[in-house]
Amino acid sequence: MTATVRFKDPKAAGNGGLLRTGSGQGYGLRSLKHKTFSRGDLPAFAAEQEMQGQESTKVMQLAVDEAVVLAEQEGAALHEGNVLADVLDISSPLNDAAAAIVDDSFLRCFKTLPDDPWNWNAYLFPLWLMGVVVRNCILFPLRLIILLLGFGFFFLGFAVVGLLLKGHRLKQAERWLVQFLCQMFVVSWTGVIKYHGPRPVPQAGRVWVANHSSMIDFAVLGAYSPFAAIMQLHPGWVGLIQKRYLKSLGCLWFNRTQAQDRTLVAQRMREHVHNPDSTPLLIFPEGTCVNNEYCVMFKRGAFDLGATVCPIAIKYNKIFVDAFWNSKKQSFTAHLMKLMRSWALVCDVYFLEPQNRRPGESAQEFAERVQHMIADKARLRVAPWDGYLKYYNLGEKHPDLIEKQRRVFSEAIRQHAEPQAAAA
């Protein structure tokens, strides 16, 4: 018998928002790694602290630390007076060990797979070396020139149409220019992309969702049909293009660490979907880039809009280059350079049958059904983890939690040793 930690009410602030309950399965840190805990409670609690003007990181750390330690104490109190049970109860360390295994399984979704070496003998090595020279000294400069010329035409075209056109014609011209820029990006990668299914058509009450491997997903889809996307706001030249130019499509940008941004985007997203004149809305419900081998949990926001969901499955062929962007290890500019120095980017895009929410089906169940559709088509393995954990490091957020747990265990053993010492 034990006590675990969960949130009883996402709107509750402070320690009152935490609840400890009996589970009968041993106790430890597993609740902090469980997908039900991470799905919405942890971010919601942090967002609540932030919206109330508190230091959310510190408050969250202390609140969760206290709740977990109290859960440990309650679990130890269940067999108080039994020294054998206290000494032999290893359920907490076992659960923590299991959490480490879970971490390893989780991180596989965000690891770049190493390239298989093929230049392993005397006659293949010269061919490989020749390919390196061709890709880096011939193809890369040509592709870079093409991309820079495309950027120049794009910027000039935006300035001209802004001066000469108004209203609906201006919006159409800007959409065409954004699509042109996406096509220039695809050309700079020598993109070999096959699109399967009908081309998206602007229509009220529809939203498109896709799996997410890199920010180039937007260019791959935008080269075929313009989309308004919901994405993280990035710094540098990418942020400039997002705020200055992609805004013309109705794109919505947010900072995942700002609760007010997420709330505002949720409101505007619903308005955009039901506007018949808006650009088709594209959402990546995983919320982060995954390595195109797995498909992590879909956030339910896109499936709770009262709209028809149009799934898109994106599958990259890694024969020439891995399109996954590991943002923790390289900048987006470095990622683009890697793509431009490869032979080609090979990709299949599948526009699947539109889906509607079934009677009695919850938003999360709807999201999971669409997730499995996309994963099956793109040959991805479904992982039950919340992508939010990629940005939530337990060791960094709660550095003192392990030591606090050790103290609880020490106190449980000490209560048996102290009476013996006093009797002696």
Side-chain angles (χ1 to χ4, degrees), residues 168-335:
H168 181 68
R169 295 182 63 187
L170 173 62
K171 182 177 293 186
Q172 283 187 323
E174 290 177 339
R175 287 180 181 177
W176 183 87
L177 285 169
V178 171
Q179 185 175 6
F180 168 79
L181 182 62
C182 291
Q183 291 170 345
M184 288 298 99
F185 271 113
V186 172
V187 169
S188 71
W189 309 322
T190 314
V192 182
I193 304 174
K194 294 182 180 179
Y195 298 95
H196 310 266
R199 186 185 299 267
V201 177
Q203 185 176 348
R206 288 202 169 193
V207 59
W208 281 257
V209 300
N211 57 302
H212 194 30
S213 299
S214 169
M215 199 156 37
I216 70 167
D217 295 338
F218 177 78
V220 167
L221 295 174
Y224 187 62
S225 178
F227 282 99
I230 297 180
M231 288 186 181
Q232 166 78 13
L233 184 61
H234 293 271
W237 66 271
V238 177
L240 174 64
I241 292 177
Q242 286 178 319
K243 292 183 287 187
R244 172 63 183 87
Y245 299 102
L246 296 186
K247 186 179 179 181
S248 63
L249 297 179
C251 293
L252 306 177
W253 313 112
F254 69 94
N255 188 332
R256 60 171 53 91
T257 63
Q258 300 293 325
Q260 293 180 348
D261 279 9
R262 295 193 298 268
T263 302
L264 180 61
V265 166
Q267 296 173 352
R268 294 179 59 190
M269 183 169 60
R270 187 177 295 273
E271 296 172 358
H272 185 109
V273 167
H274 295 285
N275 182 359
D277 297 325
S278 61
T279 309
L281 182 63
L282 173 66
I283 300 176
F284 300 106
E286 290 172 296
T288 187
C289 295
V290 188
N291 62 9
N292 210 235
E293 294 290 335
Y294 294 87
C295 185
V296 301
M297 189 184 73
F298 278 17
K299 302 294 189 299
R300 65 184 183 184
F303 304 88
D304 200 20
L305 299 173
T308 298
V309 175
C310 304
I312 304 175
I314 305 174
K315 183 60 178 179
Y316 292 99
N317 190 321
K318 300 180 182 180
I319 185 172
F320 296 123
V321 66
D322 186 357
F324 168 57
W325 177 36
N326 191 337
S327 58
K328 290 189 174 183
K329 292 188 176 181
Q330 64 179 176
S331 66
F332 185 64
T333 302
H335 179 58

Side-chain angles (χ1 to χ4, degrees), residues 106 110 286-288 296-297 299 385-391:
F106 171 75
F110 310 100
E286 290 172 296
T288 187
V296 301
M297 189 184 73
K299 302 294 189 299
W385 315 126
D386 186 347
Y388 174 81
L389 290 178
K390 180 181 178 181
Y391 306 96

Side-chain angles (χ1 to χ4, degrees), residues 332-403:
F332 185 64
T333 302
H335 179 58
L336 288 180
M337 296 299 105
K338 182 185 77 170
L339 297 176
M340 294 171 67
R341 293 197 303 268
S342 68
W343 288 112
L345 176 72
V346 183
C347 175
D348 283 281
V349 178
Y350 302 91
F351 294 93
L352 306 180
E353 184 179 352
Q355 300 294 311
N356 289 293
R357 191 166 166 180
R358 296 169 180 171
E361 187 177 42
S362 67
Q364 191 60 46
E365 291 171 341
F366 186 22
E368 291 174 357
R369 178 162 60 87
V370 173
Q371 178 195 24
H372 280 81
M373 283 184 60
I374 292 176
D376 291 343
K377 194 64 178 181
R379 303 180 299 282
L380 306 175
R381 283 168 282 184
V382 175
W385 315 126
D386 186 347
Y388 174 81
L389 290 178
K390 180 181 178 181
Y391 306 96
Y392 188 87
N393 188 297
L394 184 60
E396 294 178 358
K397 298 288 186 180
H398 307 278
D400 301 325
L401 189 53
I402 300 297
E403 182 59 31

Side-chain angles (χ1 to χ4, degrees), residues 79 121 128 164 302 307 365 389:
H79 42 70
N121 57 30
W128 174 83
L164 300 180
E365 291 171 341
L389 290 178

